[in-house]
Amino acid sequence: MNYKVSVVVPVYNVEEYLHSCIESLFGQSYKNIEIILVDDESPDNCPRLCDEYAVAHENIKVLHKKNGGLGYARNSGLEIATGDFVEFLDSDDYIENDTIEKALHKIVNDNADVCCFSCKKLDVNGSITVEAVSFPPMLRGEKVKDILFPIYFGGSQRNGGKEKYRLGSSCMAIYRRSFLIDNNIRFESERDVLSEDVLFNISVCQKASCITFLNENFYVYRENLSSLTHSYRPDRFDKACNLFEREKQIIVDQGERNVEALHRAQDSLISNLIVSIKQCVGFANMSRKEKLKEIRRMSKGELARKLQDYPFDELPLMKRIYIRQVLNGRAALVYFMTKMKC
């Protein structure tokens, strides 16, 4: 087996972690690898480090581009990739040494468009958490859409959040490059929608004739306290609403009402609403009055319409009470409940 695998690595402000990311690629048991480092106008020493790696290793390409965000950086790398298969790797993460060998073997043997696998989380203390995974060996034809389409809209908040299958980010897969190119599957900008991965994965599900799976935790996701729930992002909920509207339109365009997909899109909106309020209350440099005003802003608008027909009774009791207070505009109570949990 001598297929070339292109690994696209967007690089931005990860000087501390770039070495371990690239070393995990050098250490792969499968050697026919093209490494594409996409410098997204990183403000640290990453541009210089990328160039030094390229000089020292002939299988590394470096692309310096104007800052456009993670999604567009991945697209730029994909455009210059020459491999038969493509993998995306975030530059503060890394993969286990047998990842590419095993994923490539599975995707080729199953003649699949995509091979998915799972991850483990590395926290700030160096502890690794491994999530139990259970995928079907392979899905082909209509089963791809029937089973996976709703799941790609996100995890369920309902009934305790128990899932038969969990699908992760676009980094937790290897793709046949011709499949992505021929179907014009690209990433959106996370500056417009909250998650570039979700819409990409949905497009993959809509176009794939076969997706195969490995029940192994190959991808190592590094927890970053400067991101996600540990900092205040004023536009987070607006982007979450933009994502929901895009997801809803995709469901409509399918030509039939997929209730579970819609409910999962609403699940994600609720989850992002809670995170956005938690960010505001816990981390925003605002007065209490300003925070209450921001909570009211998030609870007004068209939130009630977006959550119309959502099965609130299936949520855990405390989460159901919390969301009801948000929808009823009780900002002070929501503030207090959030403060107690922060």
Side-chain angles (χ1 to χ4, degrees):
M1 188 180 293
N2 196 36
Y3 298 101
K4 182 192 284 188
V5 178
S6 298
V7 183
V8 177
V9 185
V11 178
Y12 185 82
N13 207 22
V14 289
E15 184 178 345
E16 181 180 357
Y17 306 117
L18 184 61
H19 178 73
S20 64
C21 173
I22 296 175
E23 286 298 319
S24 78
L25 298 177
F26 291 158
Q28 289 298 301
S29 55
Y30 188 83
K31 298 302 181 183
N32 192 7
I33 299 173
E34 171 186 63
I35 302 171
I36 301 174
L37 304 177
V38 184
D39 164 36
D40 197 31
E41 208 171 21
S42 185
D44 57 4
N45 287 317
C46 282
R48 176 180 60 80
L49 294 174
C50 288
D51 288 336
E52 290 175 357
Y53 273 114
V55 169
H57 302 274
E58 62 180 14
N59 67 327
I60 291 184
K61 295 179 181 178
V62 176
L63 174 63
H64 298 285
K65 64 178 290 293
K66 186 175 177 61
N67 181 260
L70 179 62
Y72 286 171
R74 288 174 179 167
N75 291 342
S76 297
L78 178 60
E79 293 305 319
I80 65 171
T82 60
D84 303 287
F85 298 89
V86 177
E87 181 173 350
F88 301 102
L89 173 60
D90 288 348
S91 49
D92 52 351
D93 301 330
Y94 63 92
I95 55 175
E96 299 291 0
N97 291 347
D98 55 350
T99 301
I100 292 178
E101 180 181 7
K102 289 185 175 180
L104 181 62
H105 186 267
K106 190 76 162 67
I107 196 172
V108 169
N109 279 4
D110 290 347
N111 192 26
D113 299 310
V114 186
C115 176
C116 298
F117 43 85
S118 193
C119 74
K120 57 190 77 172
K121 184 170 73 172
L122 176 65
D123 69 21
V124 293
N125 299 313
S127 298
I128 289 181
T129 303
V130 179
E131 183 178 279
V133 291
S134 177
F135 294 131
M138 179 177 60
L139 293 173
R140 193 179 295 277
E142 289 302 310
K143 286 187 177 181
V144 173
K145 291 181 183 177
D146 292 345
I147 295 176
L148 297 184
F149 184 73
I151 297 174
Y152 272 123
F153 283 79
S156 174
Q157 298 283 317
R158 293 157 285 130
N159 298 320
K162 294 179 180 179
E163 296 276 20
K164 185 175 182 181
Y165 307 126
R166 285 187 182 273
L167 295 169
S169 83
S170 57
C171 292
M172 299 174 204
I174 186 171
Y175 305 86
R176 198 175 292 271
R177 185 171 69 92
S178 59
F179 163 72
L180 297 179
I181 298 298
D182 293 348
N183 289 288
N184 196 31
I185 298 175
R186 299 293 188 275
F187 291 93
E188 306 245 354
S189 172
E190 70 277 13
R191 295 177 178 181
D192 298 322
V193 295
L194 185 61
S195 172
E196 71 286 341
D197 276 324
V198 171
L199 297 178
F200 179 88
N201 286 336
I202 291 172
S203 294
V204 166
C205 180
Q206 289 178 310
K207 300 293 185 180
S209 59
C210 178
I211 297 180
T212 191
F213 301 88
L214 282 169
N215 285 304
E216 299 198 48
N217 302 81
F218 287 133
Y219 193 89
V220 183
Y221 164 76
R222 192 185 302 272
E223 184 181 47
N224 186 350
L225 288 180
S226 66
S227 64
L228 203 60
T229 61
H230 300 89
S231 60
Y232 175 56
R233 296 165 56 186
D235 61 349
R236 179 191 175 97
F237 188 61
D238 296 329
K239 290 181 179 179
C241 289
N242 291 343
L243 176 61
F244 174 79
E245 292 300 332
R246 291 291 303 280
E247 290 174 324
K248 187 176 179 181
Q249 189 58 51
I250 289 169
I251 295 169
V252 171
D253 291 344
Q254 280 285 106
E256 58 184 61
R257 181 174 167 81
N258 192 315
V259 175
E260 180 59 22
L262 177 60
H263 286 170
R264 283 174 178 264
Q266 292 171 320
D267 283 327
S268 294
L269 184 63
I270 287 172
S271 178
N272 285 310
L273 171 66
I274 293 171
V275 169
S276 298
I277 294 174
K278 183 177 179 180
Q279 284 182 346
C280 177
V281 172
F283 303 103
N285 185 22
M286 294 178 175
S287 66
R288 182 178 182 276
K289 183 178 180 180
E290 289 171 327
K291 291 179 180 180
L292 292 176
K293 182 178 179 181
E294 180 65 6
I295 292 171
R296 292 189 188 97
R297 184 189 71 82
M298 285 188 272
S299 65
K300 289 181 179 179
E302 297 190 336
L303 181 60
R305 179 189 63 80
K306 289 178 171 60
L307 296 179
Q308 187 175 0
D309 298 326
Y310 180 78
F312 287 101
D313 289 345
E314 295 178 14
L315 285 175
L317 178 60
M318 291 309 297
K319 184 171 289 187
R320 184 164 73 242
I321 292 172
Y322 184 87
I323 296 300
R324 286 298 187 191
Q325 306 318 306
V326 175
L327 290 172
N328 289 333
R330 294 171 180 161
L333 181 55
V334 171
Y335 177 90
F336 175 76
M337 294 174 72
T338 307
K339 195 75 173 174
M340 295 296 292
K341 293 181 180 180
C342 288

